[in-house]
Amino acid sequence: TREVGSAAPMTRLAHALAVSALFSCIGCAPVDAAPTPAATLNFPITLALSVPRVAGDPPDYLILGNADFDLRYDQGSIQSYDLEAIAEEVRTCAAEDRPCGHDDPSAAEPTIAGSVPLLVDEVLVGAHMGGIAVSPRGDRVYVPSRSEGNLSWIDFDPADGTFECEGTGQPV
């Protein structure tokens, strides 16, 4: 005779552990993922603005996080874009009465029209980032990564929009 409920909790626990193990494997990055190409938008899911250098001025840079949610590449990336260059490109498009946007909308990877360099800098981070936070002084960017289970920080120069990584950081 079996005691009511004595084997069932153990079975439920074993089942829960097996399901948890399965789902944790699903979230792992594939071993054969391609290296992350530079200057590529891949699941850009989070944005932040740089802290203005002078109080009251507009921010100079857009900081964008590519999550690599599809795990096509081996890492995600953080990119900084020059907001004044973007505004100038939009003004030029409007003055020339032409659309702004992709050079080739049918291309597999997005490109931005125009000759003005909009992307200032980029660094690689873990895939599946959950957000971006900029420190109050504007000199550090924080990025949580679900795939690596950590919080990465990247030094950011608000004067020129560049990143600097120490230790295991990987500038592109």
Side-chain angles (χ1 to χ4, degrees), residues 49-54 57-63 80-86 118 120 156-161:
L49 294 172
S50 64
V51 174
R53 288 181 278 168
V54 177
D57 282 358
D60 294 313
Y61 301 98
L62 171 70
I63 303 168
S80 67
Y81 288 88
D82 184 332
L83 287 172
E84 182 53 39
I86 292 171
L118 307 177
V120 176
F156 179 73
D157 187 339
D160 64 8

Side-chain angles (χ1 to χ4, degrees), residues 9-169:
M10 202 57 176
T11 304
R12 279 187 236 131
L13 176 62
H15 181 70
L17 289 173
V19 169
S20 296
L22 173 66
F23 283 119
S24 68
C25 290
I26 290 172
C28 297
V31 175
D32 59 348
T36 304
T40 299
L41 295 174
N42 187 44
F43 286 94
I45 65 160
T46 186
L47 303 169
L49 294 172
S50 64
V51 174
R53 288 181 278 168
V54 177
D57 282 358
D60 294 313
Y61 301 98
L62 171 70
I63 303 168
L64 180 142
N66 290 298
D68 186 34
F69 188 75
D70 62 352
L71 297 176
R72 179 172 28 165
Y73 304 118
D74 57 6
Q75 293 179 295
S77 67
I78 301 294
Q79 300 171 330
S80 67
Y81 288 88
D82 184 332
L83 287 172
E84 182 53 39
I86 292 171
E88 180 59 33
E89 180 65 14
V90 170
R91 285 189 292 270
T92 301
C93 292
E96 296 174 0
D97 196 28
R98 65 175 171 86
C100 289
H102 298 294
D103 287 330
D104 180 4
S106 66
E109 299 298 333
T111 58
I112 299 173
S115 59
V116 178
L118 307 177
L119 177 64
V120 176
D121 201 8
E122 176 175 28
V123 292
L124 299 178
V125 295
H128 292 261
M129 71 190 61
I132 293 177
V134 179
S135 68
R137 291 188 314 196
D139 61 348
R140 186 158 287 169
V141 175
Y142 299 95
V143 181
S145 170
R146 291 189 325 236
S147 67
E148 295 183 12
N150 67 14
L151 176 66
S152 299
W153 56 266
I154 305 153
D155 287 330
F156 179 73
D157 187 339
D160 64 8
T162 59
F163 299 111
E164 184 170 323
C165 296
E166 294 182 20
T168 59

